Amino acid sequence: MASRAGPRAAGTDGSDFRHRERVAEHYQMSVSLKYEIKKLIYIQVALWLLVATQMCVAHFKMLPHDQVAMPYQWEYPYLLSIIPSLFGLLSFPRNNISYLVLSMISTGLFSVAPLIYGSMEMFPMAQQLYRHGKAYRFIFGFSAVSVMYLLVVIAVQVHGWQLYYSKKLLDSWFTSTQEKKKK
């Protein structure tokens, strides 16, 4: 290997790089998709911790009721949304397709479904807040409906991107599996 300042190897003009092996595209894609999904999982864990903290503070009455409202019903099943994240993280080290598929299915069941239910559950309160300007639940002085709808919007985007990248990763893994079978 020649140094930058040293002489070039004899018999080459520097154009012999085309014959060298390169990392296959699906391996590069797999690494980048794993990285993106890990970032989304960490964001999802942060959202989960916010919901869990709000529920613990409300149930154990660590703060007055006017500071932190009691949780909505959809927040209880949303606590199970940590399970798909764990399956996703477990699928990465050995490219385990089964865990990734399980993560995708359980994301829909434990993450997206409670968010849809939550948006329907909170809609009458949001409508009342919009029409009459009245809110009865508060989180640190802000309307609980507004705060939780903000959380729902962010969570839907996180889970949507997570499902999208997981599908692309699954396709990438299937491509590499099919190429191995052909050999």
Side-chain angles (χ1 to χ4, degrees):
M1 189 161 140
S3 65
R4 290 179 180 237
R8 185 177 307 228
T12 180
D13 60 354
S15 63
D16 62 343
F17 65 91
R18 294 196 201 311
H19 75 283
R20 295 186 187 137
E21 290 186 26
R22 296 183 188 173
V23 177
E25 184 179 336
H26 60 272
Y27 292 120
Q28 292 174 345
M29 183 181 290
S30 177
V31 170
S32 65
L33 289 172
K34 283 181 188 180
Y35 176 71
E36 293 297 325
I37 294 170
K38 281 182 186 178
K39 284 194 309 190
L40 291 168
I41 286 174
Y42 295 141
I43 293 169
Q44 194 272 328
V45 168
L47 291 173
W48 183 86
L49 285 172
L50 285 173
V51 171
T53 302
Q54 185 253 342
M55 290 179 73
C56 288
V57 167
H59 277 293
F60 297 130
K61 296 177 176 50
M62 294 177 181
L63 291 173
H65 183 29
D66 60 341
Q67 286 289 319
V68 178
M70 288 302 286
Y72 291 100
Q73 288 181 349
W74 68 269
E75 295 178 59
Y76 297 103
Y78 187 74
L79 287 180
L80 296 174
S81 69
I82 198 74
I83 294 170
S85 299
L86 295 176
F87 281 132
L89 289 174
L90 288 174
S91 72
F92 293 154
R94 301 188 137 254
N95 293 353
N96 192 326
I97 292 174
S98 303
Y99 279 160
L100 187 63
V101 169
L102 200 56
S103 170
M104 292 170 67
I105 292 170
S106 56
T107 295
L109 184 65
F110 297 136
S111 302
V112 176
L115 292 172
I116 292 170
Y117 176 75
S119 63
M120 291 187 304
E121 177 188 7
M122 295 186 304
F123 184 75
M125 278 88 57
Q127 197 173 25
Q128 181 180 13
L129 178 65
Y130 177 72
R131 286 186 179 166
H132 307 292
K134 294 181 182 177
Y136 298 105
R137 290 180 168 189
F138 295 95
I139 297 176
F140 296 113
F142 297 102
S143 165
V145 172
S146 302
V147 172
M148 296 315 280
Y149 260 117
L150 179 64
L151 184 124
V152 166
V153 166
I154 293 170
V156 164
Q157 290 180 11
V158 167
H159 294 304
W161 282 110
Q162 188 176 354
L163 286 171
Y164 173 74
Y165 286 138
S166 294
K167 174 67 174 125
K168 287 185 72 157
L169 182 61
L170 192 64
D171 292 342
S172 171
W173 287 352
F174 271 128
T175 301
S176 66
T177 305
Q178 295 301 326
E179 287 179 4
K180 287 178 186 176
K181 286 183 181 179
K182 287 180 183 177
K183 292 180 180 179

